[in-house]
Amino acid sequence: MLTRELIVETAMQLADADGIDKMSMRRLATELDCGVMSLYHYVADKDALIEALVDQVASEVAPPAADTPWREAAQELAAATLAAQLNHPWVISIWSMTWPGPHRFALIERLLEALAQADLPADIADLGFHALTNHIQGFAQQRLAFGQLEAQADETAGRVAAIMGSDEFPRVIDHIAFHQHDETDRDEFRFTLDLILDGLERHAS
Amino acid sequence: MLTRELIVETAMQLADADGIDKMSMRRLATELDCGVMSLYHYVADKDALIEALVDQVASEVAPPAADTPWREAAQELAAATLAAQLNHPWVISIWSMTWPGPHRFALIERLLEALAQADLPADIADLGFHALTNHIQGFAQQRLAFGQLEAQADETAGRVAAIMGSDEFPRVIDHIAFHQHDETDRDEFRFTLDLILDGLERHAS
DNA sequence: ACCTGAACACCGTTCAAGT
DNA sequence: ACCTGAACACCGTTCAAGT
């Protein structure tokens, strides 16, 4: 029996396995052993399906307990959102472009709640909200790009070698070296997060 | 006569006018009055064409003069990069996923150069580089999402009304109100940029 | 060297028709 | 209510063939 839940679940599997580009209505239909058009009885659109998929990812983020101090709550939310996105890499490039579903709205609400408890002027809290979500988004995207490059190792190796071999971009060469003996993998996310949170705290009234 | 430059130029026009999805090899060919396969004599791939397109956008960013103080140089680079991306909104979602071309490498080099002049510990400079580029990327994406929502005004209005009408997400409602009498349009980008730059300066040795 | 049409292997969605 | 095949209007790219 076909259900919306089954469709979303199968679509998630396809997207996780092969990326969002390969999650086509037609592949989905063959996977579910039904005609393509049958799907359209449970889902208005491919876009609607994708919205459901994105909110499913959001539902994997466990919001911090209500009594968590604001700064820890923000850190936990940021880390958990990043982790969920990296668990479903295909979501990264569409996350901010899709209208939030109920689960994502709950996360947004929780982050705004944390900021409200920080005793910031109201506009600083609103600006801080975007500073934090933009950081999560920007960082996730950078990590995704990095991952893609590593996946196409052969092509990348040649291109990196070309840069390292030229003397046009010496600072870039140093920066690449930094990435190559990179042990600070986890800290990079926290570093900027703390820059932002420190800066916000300094605006506290 | 068909040339690579003409192809890139026409592709840019198509992408600017209708978005990257509508910039298809087939549309490009009809626009240029040639067979689709003729394009493949000047461009290896659609991906290669897109890389050229992205670097063309990067070429629109004028790097700051060499004697600009580091902090101003970083601000100028950030603002100019954001402006170029918003000028070609289709670039935002692919910018960080494409391998940099020569113009973009020059921008990267210039930003690393600015950070090198800030007297930061070497690893802080490298982390700061990503903090800054991630901010630009995250902010641009958020602005793009915002713009898309405004473009589909009818659909969005209903969805916003649904949120405003419910009492599930009170903080979200307040935040939406903040956006609605938003006069701080430009400052929002600078606000987080300054949080990051202030934080970096505090790490100066 | 430069150009090309036909063909292949795909898409999302509309429409009319079934049970 | 639920399902569907055929058709339409698209994709990028390979291949073999032209000049």
Side-chain angles (χ1 to χ4, degrees):
Chain A
M1 241 283 277
L2 216 48
T3 62
R4 195 172 208 269
E5 286 69 40
L6 184 61
I7 290 171
V8 171
E9 194 186 310
T10 312
M12 181 74 82
Q13 282 163 16
L14 284 182
D16 284 348
D18 300 321
I20 198 75
D21 287 343
K22 298 294 178 56
M23 196 287 285
S24 70
M25 299 303 273
R26 291 172 120 107
R27 275 239 289 159
L28 197 46
T30 43
E31 204 76 21
L32 287 164
D33 241 328
C34 69
V36 203
M37 294 317 297
S38 309
L39 301 171
Y40 286 78
H41 257 264
Y42 301 88
V43 144
D45 242 358
K46 197 193 180 184
D47 280 349
L49 175 57
I50 287 178
E51 278 189 22
L53 237 39
V54 173
D55 208 53
Q56 189 82 355
V57 175
S59 78
E60 291 176 16
V61 181
D67 59 353
T68 313
W70 80 269
R71 196 176 162 127
E72 277 159 54
Q75 280 164 346
E76 274 181 43
L77 269 169
T81 304
L82 178 67
Q85 292 201 25
L86 293 175
N87 253 340
H88 306 280
W90 52 268
V91 92
I92 293 171
S93 52
I94 55 179
W95 179 271
S96 67
M97 298 304 290
T98 53
W99 182 259
H103 290 101
R104 186 137 75 92
F105 265 125
L107 297 178
I108 294 170
E109 180 76 13
R110 185 66 187 82
L111 181 55
L112 289 168
E113 178 64 29
L115 287 163
Q117 284 163 1
D119 274 324
L120 305 172
D123 61 326
I124 298 294
D126 284 313
L127 291 169
F129 170 78
H130 287 296
L132 292 170
T133 54
N134 287 350
H135 169 55
I136 298 168
Q137 184 60 36
F139 186 85
Q141 196 121 25
Q142 182 233 323
R143 282 300 289 263
L144 175 63
F146 230 79
Q148 302 265 102
L149 288 180
E150 278 167 12
Q152 316 157 328
D154 296 353
E155 218 188 319
T156 304
R159 295 179 128 170
V160 170
I163 293 293
M164 300 297 275
S166 90
D167 53 359
E168 264 190 291
F169 306 116
R171 304 277 184 202
V172 173
I173 293 176
D174 290 347
H175 182 73
I176 291 175
F178 164 75
H179 278 289
Q180 282 170 344
H181 0 117
D182 171 19
E183 293 118 18
T184 55
D185 224 34
R186 290 251 170 103
D187 298 333
E188 200 169 324
F189 182 66
R190 271 295 288 269
F191 175 78
T192 310
L193 190 59
D194 285 335
L195 284 191
I196 294 170
L197 292 172
D198 289 344
L200 290 178
E201 252 176 357
R202 223 165 271 117
H203 279 96
S205 45
Chain B
M1 241 284 278
L2 216 47
T3 62
R4 195 174 208 268
E5 286 70 39
L6 184 61
I7 291 173
V8 172
E9 194 185 309
T10 312
M12 182 74 82
Q13 282 163 15
L14 284 182
D16 284 347
D18 300 321
I20 198 75
D21 286 343
K22 298 295 178 58
M23 196 288 284
S24 68
M25 299 303 273
R26 291 172 119 107
R27 274 240 289 159
L28 197 46
T30 44
E31 204 76 20
L32 287 164
D33 242 327
C34 69
V36 204
M37 294 318 297
S38 308
L39 302 171
Y40 287 78
H41 256 266
Y42 300 89
V43 144
D45 241 359
K46 198 192 179 185
D47 279 349
L49 175 57
I50 287 178
E51 278 189 22
L53 237 40
V54 172
D55 208 53
Q56 189 82 354
V57 175
S59 78
E60 291 176 18
V61 180
D67 58 353
T68 313
W70 80 270
R71 196 177 162 126
E72 278 160 54
Q75 281 165 346
E76 275 182 42
L77 268 169
T81 303
L82 177 67
Q85 292 201 26
L86 293 175
N87 253 343
H88 305 280
W90 53 267
V91 92
I92 293 170
S93 52
I94 54 178
W95 180 270
S96 67
M97 299 302 291
T98 53
W99 182 261
H103 290 101
R104 186 137 76 91
F105 264 124
L107 297 178
I108 293 170
E109 179 78 12
R110 185 65 186 84
L111 181 55
L112 289 169
E113 178 63 30
L115 286 163
Q117 284 162 0
D119 274 323
L120 304 173
D123 61 326
I124 299 293
D126 284 312
L127 292 168
F129 170 78
H130 287 296
L132 292 170
T133 54
N134 287 349
H135 168 56
I136 297 169
Q137 184 60 36
F139 187 85
Q141 195 121 25
Q142 181 233 325
R143 284 299 291 260
L144 175 63
F146 230 79
Q148 303 264 101
L149 288 179
E150 279 167 12
Q152 316 157 330
D154 296 353
E155 218 189 319
T156 303
R159 297 180 127 170
V160 171
I163 293 293
M164 300 297 273
S166 90
D167 52 1
E168 264 189 291
F169 307 116
R171 304 278 183 200
V172 173
I173 294 176
D174 290 348
H175 182 73
I176 291 175
F178 164 75
H179 278 289
Q180 282 170 346
H181 0 118
D182 171 20
E183 294 120 16
T184 53
D185 224 34
R186 289 249 170 104
D187 298 334
E188 201 170 322
F189 181 67
R190 271 296 289 267
F191 175 77
T192 309
L193 189 59
D194 284 335
L195 284 191
I196 294 169
L197 292 172
D198 289 345
L200 289 178
E201 253 176 357
R202 223 164 272 116
H203 279 96
S205 44

